[in-house]
Amino acid sequence: MYRLQIKTKTQETLLNPDDVAAGNVVRFRRSAKGTVVRSRRPAHPAIVSVATFTQAQLLRRSRASGGLSAGRKLERGPKATKHVYLFKGRVRCSICSRGMEGTPRQSRIYYRCAARNIAPGSPVLAEHPKNVYLAERLIVGPVNDWLSGLFDEDHRSETADLLAGTHSSTASDVRAEHARRRLSTAETHIRRLQDAIKAGANPVADQPGTRRADSGTSPA
């Protein structure tokens, strides 16, 4: 493990770009990689192998990287909120297909998709507006009418049959789901191996039984 001297700089950004009066927040940012100073010799014993360190770095950057599951990586994580959103986790942007976040504005609730949260370099940025808003009040009425129609006298039996059918999974459905999971796991493993090779790791040397002694270098 080498000793690093990393320079940082402070950066002030608006807390809410749509509301300048909300103030700003100060964050510490790392400087460019070219400004990092490293010791000539290892200063500490290695805790993990080079391959493990490289894989951990790739996993950290996987959210913004492309690949077979790029759409899922752009998905926002859950966030605690004090407001009640009737369609939380159910509204998606028609441009980028990401889940829209609830945003209270004055006394009304909106769902917003902000372009600044999209991974840099994504092709969808070329056609995505700065912000896409959807007022909750515009969809409450149509959704209520649709739900009422599903359970009226003319459609009640059909809806009950559909709901009952969703809970009865056949053996073929189970096998298909198992195959999809295995395929997804294989695709993820292949993508990680490809990224590790690009980063300089040797996947053959890192396999059990073929791992060779490290030459003394350790990940920074």
Side-chain angles (χ1 to χ4, degrees):
M1 182 73 68
Y2 293 89
R3 180 181 291 110
L4 301 179
Q5 181 179 356
I6 303 176
K7 297 180 180 180
T8 59
K9 60 181 180 180
T10 57
Q11 181 179 2
E12 293 187 5
T13 57
L14 291 175
L15 188 61
N16 185 355
D18 298 329
D19 186 6
V20 181
N24 54 18
V25 60
V26 179
R27 293 187 174 92
F28 291 93
R29 302 293 185 184
R30 284 191 175 185
S31 301
K33 293 183 178 179
T35 62
V36 177
V37 179
R38 192 185 72 173
S39 61
R40 294 181 180 272
R41 298 180 179 179
H44 309 284
I47 301 176
V48 296
S49 65
V50 177
T52 302
F53 178 81
T54 302
Q55 185 178 16
Q57 296 300 311
L58 293 173
L59 287 175
R60 290 184 59 188
R61 296 194 297 267
S62 64
R63 182 177 178 84
S65 64
L68 298 174
S69 58
R72 292 193 297 271
K73 294 174 186 175
L74 294 176
E75 190 65 32
R76 299 183 180 90
K79 182 173 61 176
T81 177
K82 62 181 180 180
H83 298 279
V84 177
Y85 302 101
L86 299 179
F87 304 99
K88 181 178 179 180
R90 300 293 182 181
V91 183
R92 292 187 171 272
C93 178
S94 61
I95 301 175
C96 64
S97 300
R98 298 185 307 158
M100 302 179 70
E101 60 181 353
T103 303
R105 296 178 66 88
Q106 296 180 355
S107 60
R108 296 178 178 177
I109 298 296
Y110 292 83
Y111 296 90
R112 179 182 66 177
C113 182
R116 69 175 184 272
N117 297 327
I118 300 177
S122 176
V124 76
L125 284 172
E127 57 182 6
H128 201 290
K130 182 179 179 181
N131 289 290
V132 177
Y133 286 97
L134 174 65
E136 188 179 73
R137 67 182 186 278
L138 297 179
I139 55 179
V140 171
V143 170
N144 286 338
D145 294 340
W146 173 70
L147 291 175
S148 299
L150 292 178
F151 294 95
D152 60 13
E153 295 182 359
D154 297 332
H155 303 89
R156 189 177 304 164
S157 299
E158 180 181 357
T159 301
D161 293 338
L162 291 175
L163 292 176
T166 58
H167 296 285
S168 58
S169 58
T170 61
S172 59
D173 294 334
V174 174
R175 289 194 297 268
E177 179 64 23
H178 181 64
R180 282 193 293 268
R181 291 182 180 179
R182 293 185 59 186
L183 176 61
S184 178
T185 302
E187 291 173 345
T188 302
H189 185 63
I190 293 174
R191 186 183 68 255
R192 290 176 180 174
L193 286 176
Q194 292 174 342
D195 293 340
I197 293 174
K198 292 179 181 179
N202 188 345
V204 177
D206 296 331
Q207 294 299 322
T210 61
R211 184 171 299 172
R212 294 172 293 184
D214 192 27
S215 58
T217 58
S218 303

